[in-house]
Amino acid sequence: MAPINVTVMGGRKDYVPAKETLPEVDAEGNGNGNSAKGYSYETLQETANFLLARISIRPTIGIICGSGMGSLAESIVDAESIPYEEIPNFPISTVEGHHGRLVFGRLDGVSVVAMQGRFHYYEGYPLWKCCLPVRVMRLLGVKTLIATNAAGGLNPTYKIGDLMIVKDHINMMGFAGNNPLHGPNDERFGPRFPPMNKAYNYEYRKLAKEVAKEYNIENIVREGVYTCLGGPNFETVAELNMLKMVGVDAVGMSTVHEVITARHCDMNVFALSLITNECVTSYETDDQANHDEVLDVGRMRQDILRKFVSRLVTRFHQIDNASL
Ligand SMILES: O=P(O)(O)O[C@H]1O[C@H](CO)[C@@H](O)[C@H]1O
């Protein structure tokens, strides 16, 4: 097969697919080129084309709003919103605290798109489907992903309301073979074996710490390791103690697979966890994690989060453009 010119994803100029055709017919795909392991490049291009026809903004930065953190998108000006129900091939949000729409517009003059509502594995979506919007963002021209989430603090020095810059992750679900990239690989999205050792952009993390100083919030900004479990139940004491032993600082039910998908298609990634609860690592307490508390802490921190993330967008945009 002749080399195909590829400039949209991954910055590679051309490639030769390993095989002429990918196996792509099954129950979910109905033989139309969309396998249960993911929608085809062409199908997602159709989704991107639908959005490009509906909106005038051409975003370069994408933001995923975590549970109870949807107000991040309320700082966006000249906003154009599209509910997920109206977007071809998009799943719908079923979790409280996730509105379920894409918001396009500008933050401090930078063109962005925000997901007000993400998709989780426990909602019944396979991981590739949870991450489908990341690939769509990339096809829209987004080069930088800012993923936010609510997480339980496992590091004993963390307090409720702290912001954790994600330095790295442990892909627990991936250990069991559940990975958003599982299945046939289309090189137009990215390589078969993407490296993950520099998943969380070093320059962005450095900038975020500078912005924390500038805004006088360094006392609540941490840096640590995140892990995602499948949910929807919160963890047992034994599970949490095991995670602590292997170096996890914060626990959630999202983000890791989104980051893997984003890195696969060569996006720069920054992730931020809002510590919404202390993980219960002792049997000697009546404390229990609950989603209402998660949403409450999101509300409590919404002003700081909005200011912080808006400033990050500006600073990331500056360094992205400087390195072009
Ligand atoms: O990761 P986000 O979507 O922020 O939400 C976190 O909060 C919810 C539990 O309260 C779970 O969905 C968990 O993943």
Side-chain angles (χ1 to χ4, degrees), residues 61-283:
I61 296 189
I63 301 167
I64 303 178
C65 303
S67 282
M69 296 157 88
S71 74
L72 281 174
E74 280 156 27
S75 307
I76 294 177
V77 299
D78 303 327
E80 298 173 71
S81 300
I82 309 188
Y84 293 158
E85 291 88 346
E86 293 178 20
I87 306 174
N89 309 312
F90 249 59
I92 51 163
S93 281
T94 66
V95 185
E96 198 191 337
H98 291 265
H99 294 293
R101 60 183 172 228
L102 282 184
V103 183
F104 294 84
R106 280 179 244 282
L107 270 179
D108 278 342
V110 181
S111 297
V112 299
V113 54
M115 283 180 72
Q116 246 184 348
R118 63 149 54 87
F119 307 110
H120 304 85
Y121 187 69
Y122 61 77
E123 291 175 79
Y125 299 122
L127 287 184
W128 67 263
K129 206 171 230 183
C130 296
C131 304
L132 172 161
V134 173
R135 285 186 165 172
V136 170
M137 281 186 191
R138 189 72 189 94
L139 289 167
L140 292 173
V142 169
K143 184 69 179 120
T144 292
L145 179 70
I146 300 179
T148 66
N149 61 59
L154 194 50
N155 184 317
T157 68
Y158 289 6
K159 296 194 178 56
I160 292 176
D162 281 354
L163 303 179
M164 186 187 85
I165 296 167
V166 181
K167 174 172 75 179
D168 204 348
H169 70 227
I170 296 180
N171 182 10
M172 294 299 290
M173 294 167 77
F175 286 1
N178 194 359
N179 189 298
L181 307 179
H182 183 82
N185 186 59
D186 187 329
E187 295 266 337
R188 287 173 292 180
F189 288 123
R192 173 73 289 185
F193 300 110
M196 223 35 75
N197 55 315
K198 289 189 175 170
Y200 299 85
N201 187 285
Y202 174 76
E203 294 301 323
Y204 289 172
R205 289 192 281 125
K206 199 166 125 209
L207 268 180
K209 283 176 257 180
E210 283 173 25
V211 171
K213 274 201 184 121
E214 188 188 320
Y215 282 3
N216 267 326
I217 53 168
E218 42 209 298
N219 56 326
I220 63 159
V221 174
R222 318 298 193 121
E223 190 170 33
V225 174
Y226 174 89
T227 199
C228 161
L229 302 179
N233 60 283
F234 291 105
E235 304 72 33
T236 67
V237 169
E239 285 163 352
L240 289 167
N241 281 316
M242 184 200 86
L243 293 173
K244 203 175 185 179
M245 276 194 279
V246 298
V248 172
D249 295 298
V251 185
M253 305 172 196
S254 70
T255 307
V256 167
H257 33 280
E258 296 160 352
V259 170
I260 290 170
T261 304
R263 292 299 298 146
H264 180 242
C265 60
D266 202 33
M267 290 165 96
N268 302 321
V269 171
F270 178 79
L272 188 68
S273 297
L274 171 63
I275 305 302
T276 53
N277 55 291
E278 275 177 31
C279 290
V280 181
T281 53
S282 154
Y283 295 103

Side-chain angles (χ1 to χ4, degrees), residues 52-69:
L52 291 170
R54 280 277 295 266
I55 43 122
S56 52
I57 293 281
R58 296 293 176 258
T60 56
I61 296 189
I63 301 167
I64 303 178
C65 303
S67 282
M69 296 157 88

